[in-house]
Amino acid sequence: MWPDDLDLSAELATAGARARDSVAAHVRPDPAYAAALRSRLLAPLASPAAIPAVPRRRAGIRDILSVRRLAPMLAAAMLVVAMAAAASTVLIGNHPVPPPTPVPSLPVIVGPAGGGLLASDSPSPTESASATPTPSPTPSATATPQPTPVPTVTPAPTVKPTAVPIATPKPTLAPTPTPKPAIGTMALALSGCNGGTVLEWSKVADARFHHYVTLRSTSSAIPASYPASGGAVEVAGTFSKDPATTSAVDASAPTGVSLSYRTLALDAGNAVIAASPVRSAIAKPVAALGTLSAAPAGDGKTTFAWAPYGGPGACFTYYKLVHSETDTTPSYLEGSAAWAAIGDQATTSVTLTGPVSGTTYHVRLQAVRATSLGAMVVAQTDVLTYPAP
């Protein structure tokens, strides 16, 4: 039995789908585009749902070969071929692809006179003998697919590592030494006397002052530093914290030897704040004044007489008439009592009421050089043993 008009439309749709699938086996068009194209091409055809149902009857060859039935079948076959060609053109024009594989033409078999039009994937030998194949459209030879451009990959530039400078260690800065204050200048006067050397220096008026000290050396090179160095020694009895004490004696100086001296003013840390120039002097032995005489002067008085000291005035301060009842060598510097003190160097006698009648005394006259830091005997008489009358 040959299908009626409704079956023929369905088979034509199936044949068109197969043709499209065969043509686009490798490269299919965009689904949305294909659906839109199919809608436009099939719009003129009536929807199967709109066709009224007709009672099925057996169709004969006459019905199949009638113009009313044959014309739509031929038009549908031509429409299928046109759709396949259009799809191929769209696919080749819009998407560069390799040359398509030739697609076999869709065979159209025309039956015997009065029969119907059939479409089959595998026609029978009888049908193939009478059917005339419709050639498939061949893609244009001039449509050469364009190769897909290969993007040029630009290699990333090699980033050279930045050289990190080696940190140069900063030199340790030595602290700038605080300059020492300039050392002040002092005056110094020496007197080579009998019994030793007399030292006299100028007063230092400095807020840093702490004490004085005098150095002695057999060399004239005495460094202005403390403690003593370079062979110098400190003179005993010259240390003083009173800035007004500016004189001393060196009773330990050996006689007949030239000695050099330097007086320094120091702060609390023994740093020198002032220094005198170096001066030299020669000490002499204690001078002998000869015999001391004593004579009663009446009314319980006694007169003592001596020879005057003839040394320089710088070496004389006063005379001391000392006595002791037990010490046979009385001396003022050793603590013996004195009956008189005479400041005139030229004086040669003194009358006093000191001696007690009936008492025996050991008496001596001494010439003394006194300073603010000490004293020394420069001359003296022999010891007189005197029993008071």
Side-chain angles (χ1 to χ4, degrees):
M1 296 295 292
W2 295 101
D4 57 10
D5 294 342
L6 294 177
D7 294 335
L8 180 61
S9 298
E11 290 190 6
L12 288 176
T14 302
R18 288 181 179 178
R20 289 193 301 273
D21 291 341
S22 177
V23 172
H26 300 285
V27 180
R28 294 181 179 273
D30 181 74
Y33 177 82
L37 179 61
R38 181 176 180 277
S39 298
R40 288 197 303 269
L41 293 175
L42 296 179
L45 300 179
S47 172
I51 300 174
V54 178
R56 301 186 66 179
R57 66 181 180 83
R58 301 182 66 177
I61 296 176
R62 181 186 299 273
D63 294 330
I64 295 174
L65 297 178
S66 64
V67 175
R68 184 175 60 85
R69 290 183 177 272
L70 185 60
M73 289 190 291
L74 293 176
M78 293 178 65
L79 179 60
V80 170
V81 174
M83 289 173 63
S88 176
T89 302
V90 171
L91 291 175
I92 296 174
N94 290 345
H95 301 279
V97 296
T101 304
V103 179
S105 301
L106 179 64
V108 178
I109 302 174
V110 180
L117 181 63
L118 300 177
S120 176
D121 291 338
S122 300
S124 63
T126 305
E127 293 171 343
S128 298
S130 60
T132 302
T134 302
S136 300
T138 303
S140 175
T142 58
T144 303
Q146 299 296 326
T148 302
V150 179
T152 302
V153 179
T154 304
T158 302
V159 179
K160 295 183 178 180
T162 304
V164 178
I166 299 176
T168 303
K170 296 182 179 180
T172 302
L173 299 179
T176 303
T178 303
K180 295 181 179 180
I183 297 177
T185 302
M186 302 168 58
L188 177 64
L190 301 181
S191 298
C193 301
N194 300 100
T197 304
V198 176
L199 311 171
E200 296 177 288
W201 58 86
S202 60
K203 178 182 177 179
V204 173
D206 192 315
R208 298 172 295 163
F209 174 82
H210 185 264
H211 62 277
Y212 293 118
V213 71
T214 298
L215 307 181
R216 183 185 76 189
S217 175
T218 56
S219 170
S220 60
I222 301 177
S225 61
Y226 189 85
S229 61
V233 295
E234 183 177 347
V235 178
T238 60
F239 179 93
S240 175
K241 291 184 178 181
D242 184 356
T245 56
T246 58
S247 62
V249 295
D250 181 16
S252 65
T255 60
V257 179
S258 177
L259 298 177
S260 298
Y261 295 84
R262 183 171 225 172
T263 300
L264 305 175
L266 310 176
D267 63 11
N270 285 332
V272 178
I273 61 175
S276 73
V278 177
R279 296 284 185 260
S280 299
I282 299 175
K284 306 177 188 65
V286 176
L289 297 180
T291 303
L292 174 66
S293 62
D299 299 330
K301 296 180 180 179
T302 302
T303 299
F304 295 92
W306 62 87
Y309 171 63
C315 296
F316 176 84
T317 303
Y318 43 72
Y319 292 116
K320 289 288 186 174
L321 184 60
V322 296
H323 65 88
S324 175
E325 296 178 13
T326 58
D327 187 0
T328 60
T329 58
S331 175
Y332 174 71
L333 300 181
E334 294 175 3
S336 297
W339 279 328
I342 301 131
D344 186 358
Q345 185 177 347
T347 300
T348 59
S349 65
V350 62
T351 300
L352 48 86
T353 58
V356 176
S357 177
T359 304
T360 301
Y361 298 95
H362 304 286
V363 184
R364 172 183 278 179
L365 179 81
Q366 293 180 320
V368 177
R369 176 60 165 95
T371 66
S372 56
L373 291 177
M376 66 181 181
V377 175
V378 297
Q380 61 186 357
T381 65
D382 297 333
V383 176
L384 169 65
T385 301
Y386 175 63

